[in-house]
Amino acid sequence: MNGPIVSVAKELGFEGNSFLEGLVVSTFIGGAFVGSISSGFLVDKLGCRRAFQGDTIPLVLGAIISAQAHSLDEILWGRFLVGLGVGVNTVLVPIYISEVAPTKYRGFLGTLSQIGTCLGVIASLFLGIHSESDPHWWRTILYIASIPGFILAIGMQFAVESPRWLCKAGRSDEAIEVIKKLWGPSEVNRAIENIQSVIRSDGADLDTSWLELLEEPHSRVAFIGGALFLLQQFAGVNGVLFFSSLTFADVGITNSALASLCVGFTDLAGALNATYLMEKQGRKSLLIGSYLGMTASMLLVVSAISLPVEKDIGNTLSVLGTTMYIFFFASGAGPVTGLIIPELSSTRTRGKIMSFSLAVHWVCNFLVGQFFLELAEKFGVASVYAGFGGFSLMAATFGYYFTVETKGRSLEEIEMSLNPNFLGGNK
């Protein structure tokens, strides 16, 4: 909505009202929060496959309602529904990938969702360029936004259900057939034995309670998940992205769409880098290295703003620091956070832990978006960026002391190592 929001506001009668423009954007985040919280129940009850298909209803409906909106109320309802669908998807995607991917490819496949997101953002930015010359183009964009929902609904009809969920639901015969297709016949006996082992230890009931997240080992993983997303958002990625167009404008890139595309392609380059490093370096070291790179990037930007250097040199350093920050984020802090939490979670509580973690993400996302400009005006951009660098350093430290490496280990092996109920389990 960054590009079309001006045309939307003008046509629907709230042009120049920054509060209502912000409300159109933030309503999406409110919907995403509700979607994240409710997705744990959906995935437990329906499994990922049916939950994906059900989730296409608000995605498609919300896009169409937004495209046909002739009042503020209609655009708000449409945006809320789209946010609801996106909130559910942000939980479902990492869970589904982690549960169906073969162990040795889980990291690589997990980063593909980040690449998909980058490509989607770039495509939407290209579509948004025309909105600067056509005030009614925003309706076409939002109609186009309904198409991926239809593709998802049809595509998931041909996809398999998670073998872990099938075992938890007592459908072991179906799980065996899925494992044969996904991982090969030689993996069936070992996989079923490991899955059944953790289910016997943790319980096969599909009706998990939120209160279970207060018990070990689930409380530890919920804490890690919530903290990682809190630190990720307070490290300032949305603030940096928001301010990037002004940073690029200082070196002559005054077209906001072009500046956004520069950011989008940098994000894609980082995500491609993550696909290579995820299985080579491992999740933990990639997460730590990513945040250290983000810390250094923020230090470079703060130095460019604060130190007495020539304007052209300072602007160039600011752009370099901003680009480095986005690249480092996409190389680790972005994809690793979404992947490592379902890897650390138990089969029983994976849905609830991801719901909680992503709910924290959306709350922090809203807070950064809501108060970034106010803080920048009050304390200066350099001080706010220094704070982002501080949170990036805290995130690197947290990753070092609280996360564990999950590369090359099955979900069941990870769960057994964290669960004290298993012999040799390590709290």
Side-chain angles (χ1 to χ4, degrees):
M1 293 296 285
N2 287 347
I5 187 64
V6 176
S7 300
V8 173
K10 187 173 183 178
E11 188 167 339
L12 299 187
F14 56 93
E15 184 182 15
N17 190 323
S18 58
F19 173 77
L20 293 180
E21 289 180 4
L23 187 63
V24 171
V25 176
S26 61
T27 297
F28 169 89
I29 298 176
F33 173 80
V34 175
S36 295
I37 285 292
S38 60
S39 56
F41 171 80
L42 291 175
V43 73
D44 284 345
K45 284 293 187 181
L46 303 176
C48 286
R49 186 164 168 257
R50 294 304 179 202
F52 269 123
Q53 291 182 310
D55 184 45
T56 61
I57 296 172
L59 285 172
V60 171
L61 241 135
I64 293 174
I65 290 173
S66 300
Q68 295 179 339
H70 291 284
S71 68
L72 176 64
D73 288 345
E74 288 175 336
I75 194 74
L76 288 176
W77 270 113
R79 292 289 292 162
F80 179 84
L81 287 172
V82 171
L84 188 70
V86 170
V88 173
N89 267 350
T90 55
V91 173
L92 289 180
V93 169
I95 290 178
Y96 186 67
I97 292 173
S98 68
E99 292 200 349
V100 302
T103 298
K104 63 180 179 178
Y105 298 123
R106 195 172 60 234
F108 168 77
L109 294 173
T111 59
L112 289 185
S113 65
Q114 181 80 6
I115 292 174
T117 301
C118 294
L119 292 174
V121 169
I122 291 171
S124 68
L125 290 171
F126 270 115
L127 288 170
I129 292 174
H130 191 54
S131 64
E132 295 185 7
S133 57
D134 183 352
H136 305 295
W137 179 245
W138 64 272
R139 294 190 185 275
T140 304
I141 294 174
L142 295 177
Y143 276 123
I144 293 172
S146 68
I147 296 174
F150 287 110
I151 295 173
L152 181 62
I154 296 169
M156 289 308 296
Q157 189 62 32
F158 301 97
V160 297
E161 182 53 84
S162 160
R164 272 110 181 172
W165 183 83
L166 289 171
C167 284
K168 195 164 65 167
R171 295 157 60 178
S172 299
D173 291 342
E174 294 176 57
I176 290 171
E177 292 304 313
V178 169
I179 292 171
K180 284 180 183 177
K181 291 179 183 178
L182 292 177
W183 308 337
S186 61
E187 294 292 319
V188 170
N189 291 336
R190 184 164 66 104
I192 290 294
E193 183 180 340
N194 286 340
I195 293 171
Q196 295 289 9
S197 179
V198 298
I199 287 175
R200 283 194 298 270
S201 173
D202 227 8
D205 189 2
L206 291 176
D207 296 318
T208 57
S209 166
W210 283 101
L211 293 176
E212 293 181 44
L213 300 193
L214 300 176
E215 304 169 359
E216 280 285 0
H218 313 306
S219 59
R220 175 185 175 184
V221 181
F223 167 71
I224 292 172
L228 282 177
F229 271 116
L230 182 147
L231 291 168
Q232 182 202 67
Q233 290 303 301
F234 285 165
V237 62
N238 289 311
V240 173
L241 290 174
F242 182 88
F243 216 75
S244 61
S245 59
L246 297 180
T247 304
F248 280 95
D250 289 335
V251 294
I253 305 176
T254 55
N255 186 307
S256 60
L258 184 59
S260 296
L261 281 173
C262 290
V263 170
F265 280 112
T266 303
D267 199 20
L268 177 60
L272 290 170
N273 186 49
T275 62
Y276 172 73
L277 294 176
M278 190 70 76
E279 296 297 352
K280 188 178 179 66
Q281 296 295 120
R283 289 28 152 192
K284 183 172 181 175
S285 59
L286 189 57
L287 184 72
I288 295 169
S290 171
Y291 276 118
L292 290 177
M294 290 162 62
T295 304
S297 302
M298 286 292 93
L299 181 61
L300 180 61
V301 176
V302 171
S303 300
I305 296 172
S306 304
L307 296 180
V309 295
E310 291 184 17
K311 184 179 179 181
D312 289 345
I313 296 175
N315 290 342
T316 302
L317 290 176
S318 293
V319 170
L320 178 61
T322 299
T323 305
M324 285 172 52
Y325 175 93
I326 295 164
F327 179 81
F328 278 118
F329 175 86
S331 294
V336 172
T337 305
L339 178 64
I340 199 171
I341 299 169
E343 288 183 326
L344 293 174
S345 304
S346 70
T347 300
R348 179 175 177 80
T349 59
R350 187 167 290 123
K352 291 287 194 304
I353 287 175
M354 284 299 292
S355 288
F356 166 74
S357 302
L358 266 301
V360 171
H361 165 274
W362 290 114
V363 169
C364 296
N365 180 300
F366 172 79
L367 291 174
V368 172
Q370 188 72 20
F371 296 108
F372 170 72
L373 278 181
E374 186 177 333
L375 291 172
E377 289 173 4
K378 186 173 183 179
F379 299 105
V381 175
S383 297
V384 176
Y385 273 29
F388 290 161
F391 272 105
S392 297
L393 187 59
M394 286 171 57
T397 306
F398 182 89
Y400 179 81
Y401 285 106
F402 288 93
T403 62
V404 298
E405 186 52 66
T406 57
K407 181 186 75 170
R409 303 163 72 189
S410 73
L411 298 184
E412 287 69 40
E413 289 170 345
I414 298 167
E415 182 173 348
M416 290 176 190
S417 71
L418 295 174
N419 193 336
N421 294 327
F422 285 99
L423 185 62
N426 180 22
K427 289 188 180 183

